Amino acid sequence: MTKFIKKDDINSKWFEIDAKNAVVGRLATIVSKIIRGKNKPTYTPHMDHGDFVVVKNVDQIKFTGSKFKNKKYYRHTGYPGGIKETTPEKLQVKKPGEVLKLAVKRMLPGGSLAKKQLTKLKIYSGSDHPHSAQNPKVINLSKLNSKNLARN
């Protein structure tokens, strides 16, 4: 029988990732796996048992190719003809962390569990963050895979 983890046995860790020159999609896959808890041997799909992730320097994040100017994000206001579109270039100016947050959000399953898991993602545009008291473990993206960082 499959062993499921109980609520009392859950203990969340903190991880810190420096997003300087990181490729958005590759960073989002790493973050979404940690937030869901898929990096743990006790992964349970129906429970929130992932870890917290602090992403800093998100204003220096990169896209490969010409996606920074050509990719489109759509949203709807709810009114007839109310479809709005924007590019990562415009979104980066208004809200620097929104590009990464959207990428991670779309990698999580839909529903209330995903909303709860997305609150474990902390995004900061500078190199300072208020979570140093939690002693986050630093994840080096370039050591995981050389393609995680943009080469330009």
Side-chain angles (χ1 to χ4, degrees), residues 2-141:
T2 306
K3 300 243 179 189
F4 289 115
I5 193 164
K6 295 179 177 68
K7 259 189 176 171
D8 301 336
D9 300 335
I10 295 173
N11 54 352
S12 296
K13 296 178 188 166
W14 285 76
F15 292 98
E16 179 181 316
I17 299 175
D18 188 4
K20 187 174 184 180
N21 291 329
V23 178
V24 175
R26 288 178 169 271
L27 176 61
T29 56
I30 294 165
V31 170
S32 64
K33 282 180 187 174
I34 294 171
I35 285 174
R36 285 195 73 193
K38 287 188 118 179
N39 59 337
K40 297 180 178 183
T42 56
Y43 168 67
T44 311
H46 67 277
M47 291 184 71
D48 181 20
H49 135 253
D51 297 320
F52 289 88
V53 178
V54 178
V55 182
K56 60 183 189 176
N57 292 324
V58 80
D59 52 341
Q60 299 171 12
I61 208 162
K62 303 285 184 195
F63 278 89
T64 56
S66 60
K67 286 183 236 147
F68 191 64
K69 294 184 182 192
N70 297 339
K71 183 176 174 67
K72 300 227 182 314
Y73 292 114
Y74 294 99
R75 64 182 178 85
H76 201 280
T77 62
Y79 290 97
I83 193 141
K84 305 282 183 184
E85 70 175 40
T86 185
T87 62
E89 190 175 28
K90 294 176 191 171
L91 205 56
Q92 192 78 355
V93 173
K94 288 181 186 176
K95 301 176 186 175
E98 197 67 20
V99 173
L100 178 64
K101 189 175 180 181
L102 277 172
V104 172
K105 180 182 178 182
R106 292 170 181 184
M107 289 181 186
L108 297 176
S112 58
L113 181 62
K115 287 180 185 172
K116 188 176 177 190
Q117 288 171 339
L118 196 60
T119 61
K120 293 188 171 195
L121 174 62
K122 313 294 182 188
I123 299 174
Y124 299 100
S125 57
S127 60
D128 298 333
H129 60 83
H131 305 289
S132 56
Q134 280 77 23
N135 296 326
K137 182 182 172 194
V138 177
I139 296 176
N140 193 345
L141 290 177

